[in-house]
Structures are given as C-alpha cells and as structure tokens.
Amino acid sequence: MKKILGVCLVSVGICLFLTACGSEAKQAEVDYTVEEAENALNNGESINGQVVEVTVDQFVPNSTFGYNIQSGAHMNFVSNKNPNVAEGDTVMINVKEVENVLGSYIITYDENQITQK
C-alpha cells in the first residue's frame, strides 16, 4: 500500500512540475517600436527578420494589400491571413520584407509569429 501511495505522489509531483515548466509562454524579444522601425527605414536600414512592437492604430481587412494593420505615420503591416486584431491592440510582428510604395512602408510579416501582448 505504501509503495502505491508513493508512486502516486511521485507521479502527481512530476505532472505538476511538467505543467509548470510548459505553462510559461516565451515572449518575443522586441527589437523595435513602430517609431524606431520607421526611423530605421527612413535612414535606409533594414528591419527584415526583426520583431516590431506594433499598436494597431487602424485595421483595414480589405485593403489592396490584404489585411492591413496601420500604425505610425507610414507603416502598413500586411498579410493574406486575418490577424484577428482590433484598434488599440498591441502585437509583436516578425518582419519578413519591407517595400516602400509611394512614401508608405508595406511590411509583410510571418503570419505564424504574430503575438498579442
């Protein structure tokens, strides 16, 4: 009886330990705020592969470029997949590629790596 109770207690302890280890989600490390990213782009720097913390100023689901998260003065974070965000949300976006179109930055991102804060 003592062996069964001991095995049960050890099993419960291991389950609790593993649950605690897995419950802490890894937060993406931020490389730029929107303002910093826009300044870097204006200075000719690349932000490809970097994580930008974006506050959604406006969300346009049917823009010419797809789902468009607008933030900053000229920053448009676009994708073909709905990111399910609303105005005022803050998200971390992993930038794939940036294109300058008529003075606005069209920024594509990894749709699987957008994280809400």
Side-chain angles (χ1 to χ4, degrees), residues 36-99:
E36 292 169 340
E38 191 162 8
N39 286 337
L41 291 170
N42 289 336
N43 291 329
E45 299 173 31
S46 172
I47 63 167
N48 294 352
Q50 303 297 307
V51 175
V52 180
E53 182 178 60
V54 177
T55 300
V56 180
D57 292 340
Q58 186 175 5
F59 177 62
V60 183
N62 57 353
S63 78
T64 303
F65 303 104
Y67 294 96
N68 186 352
I69 299 172
Q70 296 177 350
S71 188
H74 304 286
M75 303 288 274
N76 298 278
F77 297 86
V78 299
S79 103
N80 293 324
K81 183 179 173 187
N82 189 345
N84 296 314
V85 297
E87 291 179 21
D89 286 353
T90 300
V91 293
M92 309 308 170
I93 293 179
N94 189 346
V95 175
K96 283 171 72 173
E97 188 176 2
V98 180
E99 187 177 349

Side-chain angles (χ1 to χ4, degrees), residues 23-38:
S23 65
E24 190 175 322
K26 184 179 178 188
Q27 187 77 305
E29 188 174 316
V30 175
D31 297 306
Y32 293 99
T33 64
V34 169
E35 293 78 17
E36 292 169 340
E38 191 162 8

